[in-house]
Amino acid sequence: MADGAPRSIRLDALAYGGDYNPDQWPEEVWLEDARLMREAGVNLVSLPVFSWPQLEPEPGVYDWSWLDRVIEILWNEGIRIDLATATATPPSWLIRSHPEMLPWNEQGQRLEFGSRQAYCPSSPVWREHVVRMSRAMAERYGEHPALALWHISNEYGDHVARCWCPESSAHFRRWLQARYGDLDGLNDAWGVNVWGQRYTAWEHIEAPRQATGPVNPTQLLDFERFSSDALLELFQLEIDVLREVTPDVAVTTNFMSLFRELDYWTFAEVEDLVTDDAYPDPADPHAHVPAALNYGLMRSLKGGQPWLLLEQAASAVSWRDVNVPKAPGRMRIDSLQAIAHGSDGAMFFQWRQAKYGQEKFHSAMLGHRGEASRSFQETKAFGAELERLAPVRGTRVRSRVALVVDWDSWWGSSAPESLPSQRLDWLAQARAWNAALYELGHPVDAVRATGPFDGYDLVVVPNLYIADVAQAAALADYVAAGGQLVVGPFSGVVDATEKVHDGGAPGPLRDLLGVEVDEHWPVPDGHAERVELVSVGRVGAQRRIETTAGEGLDTLAGARYSTGEGYANPIWGEWLEVHDGTEVVGRYASGELAGRAAVTRRMHVDGTAWYVSAVLESAGMLAVFRTVLAAANLPARERTDTDLEAVTRSDETTDYTFLLNHGRHELTVDVPEGAVDLLGGGLDTLRYSTDATLTLPSFGAAVLASPRAAHAPFITLSDSTD
Ligand code: GAL
C-alpha cells in the first residue's frame, strides 16, 4: 500500500453480524451457525476475541486447526471476518509463569485470574507476548480472503483501565521524565510546595495510591493521562506488527462510547476505522438521547468518516443489576439510530447466546430457543431490511452544531477531591447540553477544543476546565470568523498543570467571553437556586449595549426579566463580573447571587461568545439554546419531543434523512415533498399524506432520500400531530 493511502474495511455492504465464539460450541453447531447467519443476512463476524488459550494451549504450541475450519465454513457462506488478534485476555499458563503481569488495584491488591483482561498494560512480559501473538495471527491469516479487518484486543480499559502495580509506577516515572525532563520540571508542574511534596529522586514518585489525605491533583491528572497513554502504547505495538505483516488491512479496536478513562481522540488517530460498542439501557426510555452524543463522537473521531457499531445487544445484557430485554422493534430502531449517525452497519454481541459462563443470560442474535427465538426472528427481518439501506454506505452525516469533548478537562474536573463541588459532573453536563440541542432538532458532532470548527454554525463547550492559550485562540478565531460559541461553567479555570490562570477563570477565555469569575458558588445539596433569562427580543441583531452605571453590569435596552419563576439551578453558580459591552442574558434569581449575571453574551465583529455560568435544568438549557440558535440563524423545533430524532447522511447528490420514533406514541412530522422512503414497505406501517407529512408509529422509522439541499432537511413535528 502506498504510504498514507487510507485502509478500509473489506466489505462492500453495510456490515451485519456479531461476535462469534465457536470455541464454546461443538463443531456440528458451526455448520448450523453458518447456515443461519446466511439466512439472517450476516456478512461479518468478529472472532476469536477471547480464544488465546484455545489457540496456544501451551507456550509456543499453536492449534490453528479449529479456527482454520471455522473461517473456512464461514467463508464458504461468503461471511467475512473481523479478525481479533485474540489478545483481549491472557492464557492461565502465561499468568502463572509471570504473576507479576497481573494488575493491582488502588489499594495495592493484586487482582486474580478468573475473569478477563487480567494484565497490567505496562507489563513488559504481557507486551512481549501480545506482539508475538499478534504476529502469529497476522502470519497465519493475513492472506486469507475472508479477512476484512483487524480487531485489536477488545474494549481497552473495560475492566482494567488503571493499574497501580510496581511496573506501572516505574512506567509512570518514565512517562513523567519524558514529559518534564528533570525533577525541577516535575516539581514545578506539580506545585509540590503545597503540603511539602517536593521530590528529590525519581524513585520517590509512585502512581497515586490511596494516601493519608487528598492527593496532589496534578499527580492525579498526570496519572489519568499516563494510564490512557499506556493502553495506547499497547494498541500501537499491535498496530505496528499488523502493519508490518499485513500493510493493506485496516485495523480497529472497539471503543466504549463516551468512556472517561481513555482519550479516544488519541486512539482514533492511530487506527483506520472507528468502531464502538453501545448498550443503551432498554429500561431507560430516554437512552437514545445520550446515545446520539456517543455516536456524534464516533463519527467525529476521524473527521466525519463512517464508523461501525461493532457491538450492541439484540435484547437484554447481563451486566446491569436489572437487565431488561428490548421490546419488539427496539433492536431495529436502535440499530437504525447508529446507522443514521454514520455507522456503516450494525453488529452485535453476540451471534449465538451462550450456554454457560458469565454471559449466558446476555441476549444474542440467535437466542437460546434457536431459530424460533424472538431475537432471531427480529435479526433476520432486520438483516433483510438492511439491504435497502445500501445507498447510505459511505455517506456522511451533516451537522451544523459541534460539541467540544476534552478528556483533560473531564479528568481534571472529575477528580475525587479538592474541587469546589463534587456535584458538577462533566459527562452529565455534556449530556445535558446535547439533550437540549437534540430536542431542538440538532444532531451534534464532537470536536476537539482546538477545532477544526469550520463548517459549524454553532460550537458548544459544556466544560473546558483545563484551557490553554492554543485552545482559547482557536475558539476566538472561530468567533472572529462569525461563529456562535457557547461556553459552560467552570471553564478556563486552570492550565495543563492544574495551575489556576492568572486572574482566575475563565483565564485565556476572558476577553472572548467578556466576563470574569470572582468566585465559584456551588449550590448546597438539597437546595435549588433559580436563574431567570432576560427577554432579549431581537436576538442576533448587532447593537450597542448600554451599561448600567455603578453595577458594572450591562443590560439590554428595554430588557426585562421573565415573569415566571425562572429555571432551577440545583448544582452550580458563579459570581460573575461582566466587562463593558457584554450583555446579560440571564440572571440568578435566588440565593446569594440573586440579581447577578448568570448567562451572558459578548458580540465580536461577526460572531458571538456566550457564557452559561450555571448548570440549568433541562427547560433552562432549552430556553438558552433557543435563544442561541435564533442568534445563529439556525432553525429550532417549536414543539419538542425527545422521541423524535432526525439525522441526515449525504453524498454529493442525495440527502438520506433518517426519521426515528424512539417512543411509544405515533408521531407525525413534516417531510420534504417528493422524498422516497428507502425502507418503504418495511416493517412499519408508515402513512404518507398528500401534504408531505408522515406518521411514524411507535418505534417506526423512515429513511427519506431527497435531492441534496444546501442544508440537511430540518424535520419538525407536524401541526397535525395531536
Ligand atoms: C462488551 C464486551 C463483550 C461482551 C459485551 C456484553 O463490553 O466487549 O465481550 O462482554 O460487553 O455486553
Side-chain angles (χ1 to χ4, degrees), residues 498-638:
E498 286 242 49
K499 295 198 180 63
V500 174
H501 286 294
D502 288 343
L509 303 170
R510 190 175 306 136
D511 292 341
L512 177 60
L513 299 174
V515 296
E516 296 180 19
V517 179
D518 190 71
E519 279 180 278
H520 302 297
W521 212 287
V523 178
D525 286 344
H527 290 239
E529 301 299 359
R530 304 200 77 79
V531 165
E532 288 188 344
L533 295 184
V534 176
S535 168
V536 286
R538 279 190 322 117
V539 181
Q542 300 283 330
R543 54 180 157 168
R544 302 274 357 129
I545 305 303
E546 286 165 23
T547 307
T548 308
E551 260 189 298
L553 297 176
D554 298 336
T555 56
L556 284 168
R560 52 185 172 78
Y561 294 112
S562 65
T563 49
E565 292 193 333
Y567 301 102
N569 176 43
I571 291 175
W572 184 267
E574 294 176 1
W575 180 298
L576 290 188
E577 295 292 342
V578 179
H579 292 180
D580 277 0
T582 300
E583 300 168 58
V584 177
V585 177
R587 290 181 189 276
Y588 291 99
S590 65
E592 294 293 343
L593 299 178
R596 302 201 63 84
V599 182
T600 62
R601 70 171 168 177
R602 174 100 189 165
M603 293 193 180
H604 294 262
V605 179
D606 288 319
T608 305
W610 306 69
Y611 185 57
V612 181
S613 69
V615 176
L616 297 174
E617 63 165 348
S618 55
M621 281 321 296
L622 273 179
V624 167
F625 278 130
R626 263 192 201 293
T627 308
V628 171
L629 289 169
N633 285 319
L634 288 171
R637 284 186 192 142
E638 274 300 316

Side-chain angles (χ1 to χ4, degrees), residues 641-655:
D641 191 318
T642 46
D643 290 337
L644 172 63
E645 183 168 26
V647 187
T648 300
R649 294 181 67 162
S650 309
D651 58 24
E652 296 76 49
T653 57
T654 309
D655 287 330

Side-chain angles (χ1 to χ4, degrees), residues 411-431:
W411 291 327
S413 68
S414 59
E417 53 216 2
S418 313
L419 290 165
S421 168
Q422 286 293 329
R423 307 287 173 261
L424 186 64
D425 178 303
W426 189 95
L427 184 58
Q429 171 72 5
R431 286 181 170 170

Side-chain angles (χ1 to χ4, degrees), residues 251-323:
V251 302
T252 191
T253 188
N254 43 346
F255 293 159
M256 289 174 284
S257 303
L258 259 168
F259 179 59
R260 179 188 177 279
E261 315 306 323
L262 301 184
D263 180 345
Y264 282 152
W265 292 115
T266 62
F267 278 70
E269 257 172 30
V270 299
E271 66 181 1
D272 299 301
L273 175 71
V274 170
T275 55
D276 190 41
D277 299 349
Y279 291 94
D281 187 354
D284 174 0
H286 303 297
H288 53 278
V289 180
L293 177 60
N294 296 338
Y295 300 155
L297 172 68
M298 291 306 137
R299 69 168 168 270
S300 306
L301 284 171
K302 285 187 91 64
Q305 239 173 256
W307 56 283
L308 178 58
L309 176 68
L310 206 59
E311 284 185 27
Q312 64 171 330
S315 189
V317 299
S318 57
W319 42 263
R320 294 194 172 97
D321 284 357
V322 178
N323 298 298

Side-chain angles (χ1 to χ4, degrees), residues 19 21 49-50 116 151 154-155 158-159 254 256 277 279 311-313 316-319 349-350 359 362:
D19 277 45
N21 293 300
V49 180
F50 301 105
R116 57 182 174 182
H151 176 123
N154 190 68
E155 291 192 344
D158 175 24
H159 300 298
N254 43 346
M256 289 174 284
D277 299 349
Y279 291 94
E311 284 185 27
Q312 64 171 330
V317 299
S318 57
W319 42 263
F349 178 87
Q350 59 178 330
E359 298 187 298
H362 195 292

